[in-house]
Amino acid sequence: MALVVVGSVAYDGVETPHGSVDRMLGGAATYISLAASYFTAVKLVAVVGDDFAAEDAGLLASRGIDLTGLERVPGGKTFFWSGVYSADMNDRATLRTDLNVFADFNPKLPESYRGEPYLLLGNIQPALQESVRAQMQRPRLAGGDTMNYWIADFREELLQTLKGWDFLLINDSEARLLSGERNLRRAASRIRETGPRTLVVKRGEYGAVLFRGDGHFMAPGYLLEDVFDPTGAGDCFAGGFMGYLAGRGVAIDGAEIDFADLRRAVIYGSVMGSFCCERFGVDRFRELTRAEIEARYQEFQACTGF
Ligand code: AMP
């Protein structure tokens, strides 16, 4: 039983107060897949050009990620994004977005993906997210991420897409933009009325809040000593969250998801987001072990229990 992940596979240029890298492996689907791969089998759907390095495909394959759905466009160039972070790293400005082969991305799920039970849709155009959802036979749990650009300029399309989702992960400013409510609790209720019954609102270094049914659960962010590069942290949160639920084999149909499982998934999400920030790009995932993940999960328990 695998998790199907759809989104960008990219090359990124990133500048933070700790240094800068002109070009390195990135993309939302890359981060999601790497984080989720510690918990469950992952099948990736994305597009790259023929400049996509064998070494980068090798890193994904080394984590057991199925690359059957990674389309290569001959003569095409891989999506490129670059950004620069503020001194406290809470804000970032995009310097360049070259869509390249991503401009014509029209995801087609390989036959071997369609029967899988779990689907995580990275931040791409809502109509494409819906088309992927429709290609899955009967996912047990489907949802994903979006961003302010789609909320502001593709609102109707996004609302249509959200109707088919079990869960949505977004950050707090996006939750306010999507709902038109400043108050986070009210914003969450409004959003959950649009479709996704489970909502996770990410609050950067301050953690995340999970809303489900009448209840909510608040997880703090992990207090890192040094944040080198926050790029991909939100995607790694999503990968840890959904990867954990997929690994547990949870189902939504018929029975309710156990709220305790969802709470643990939020903590694994926070754990994976925190590891992501400890090195530039995906570097932390080159040697991260499951034992380190468990140790940080225990630390979370120790510093939040009362
Ligand atoms: P995050 O820091 O979690 O927002 O994710 C950053 C990643 O998203 C980077 O690796 C970028 O390559 C990727 N990215 C940036 N802009 C876009 C976009 N418009 N569509 C898809 N992926 C993007």
Side-chain angles (χ1 to χ4, degrees):
M1 288 206 301
L3 168 65
V4 174
V5 173
V6 187
S8 56
V9 168
Y11 283 116
D12 289 349
V14 172
E15 194 181 326
T16 84
H18 292 278
S20 72
V21 176
D22 291 341
R23 186 178 166 88
M24 61 185 172
L25 176 62
T30 303
Y31 283 107
I32 294 171
S33 299
L34 287 170
S37 70
Y38 287 86
F39 304 93
T40 186
V42 174
K43 298 186 171 187
L44 176 65
V45 184
V47 64
V48 291
D50 53 14
D51 59 344
F52 193 65
E55 186 204 344
D56 294 325
L59 173 67
L60 298 170
S62 75
R63 294 281 333 138
I65 296 165
D66 186 341
L67 302 180
T68 313
L70 182 65
E71 183 191 340
R72 283 168 186 273
V73 178
K77 278 177 75 179
T78 302
F79 175 63
F80 179 82
W81 171 84
S82 67
V84 55
Y85 285 86
S86 61
D88 66 3
M89 281 186 278
N90 284 329
D91 290 307
R92 88 176 165 206
T94 290
L95 298 178
R96 230 171 103 177
T97 302
D98 298 338
L99 290 176
N100 299 329
V101 293
F102 205 48
D104 300 315
F105 185 39
N106 186 10
K108 293 231 168 35
L109 297 198
E111 215 40 66
S112 58
Y113 285 33
R114 294 176 187 231
E116 295 299 348
Y118 300 105
L119 174 64
L120 182 45
L121 297 153
N123 162 37
I124 53 174
Q125 186 173 337
L128 295 184
Q129 292 176 318
E130 196 177 350
S131 119
V132 171
R133 169 72 182 77
Q135 291 172 54
M136 299 283 287
Q137 281 153 10
R138 211 156 39 91
R140 274 193 203 170
L141 201 56
D145 185 18
T146 190
M147 68 184 287
N148 47 11
Y149 174 64
W150 307 119
I151 297 171
D153 294 358
F154 289 71
R155 193 176 188 82
E156 288 315 310
E157 187 179 308
L158 177 63
L159 288 173
Q160 177 58 35
T161 301
L162 290 181
K163 285 184 190 163
W165 291 16
D166 302 305
F167 66 90
L168 169 68
L169 301 125
I170 48 176
N171 68 35
D172 45 7
S173 63
E174 291 161 352
R176 292 188 171 104
L177 185 64
L178 178 58
S179 64
E181 291 278 359
R182 295 252 2 116
N183 177 288
L184 204 56
R185 203 167 183 157
R186 273 198 226 120
S189 303
R190 279 284 185 91
I191 293 170
R192 291 178 58 247
E193 282 160 17
T194 68
R197 292 176 61 203
T198 299
L199 173 69
V200 179
V201 179
K202 296 170 288 176
R203 308 168 85 196
E205 65 173 313
Y206 304 110
V209 190
L210 165 82
F211 295 91
R212 164 116 189 141
D214 294 332
H216 67 275
F217 169 67
M218 303 179 69
Y222 182 79
L223 281 181
L224 283 170
E225 218 155 281
D226 275 313
V227 173
F228 277 92
D229 172 14
T231 310
D235 302 313
C236 289
F237 184 105
F241 174 82
M242 187 59 186
Y244 173 74
L245 293 174
R248 292 275 295 162
V250 304
I252 236 175
D253 47 353
E256 282 289 292
I257 287 195
D258 182 359
F259 200 71
D261 262 334
L262 285 172
R263 285 202 295 256
R264 284 189 283 268
V266 170
I267 298 298
Y268 277 113
S270 300
V271 165
M272 299 313 286
S274 73
F275 279 122
C276 177
C277 298
E278 289 184 339
R279 302 266 194 289
F280 267 87
V282 300
D283 279 355
R284 188 64 177 88
F285 297 104
R286 296 182 198 280
E287 86 269 358
L288 180 69
T289 63
R290 183 65 204 243
E292 288 177 292
I293 294 170
E294 286 313 315
R296 188 161 290 180
Y297 179 88
Q298 302 294 336
E299 234 186 289
F300 254 97
Q301 273 184 331
C303 69
T304 57
F306 61 90

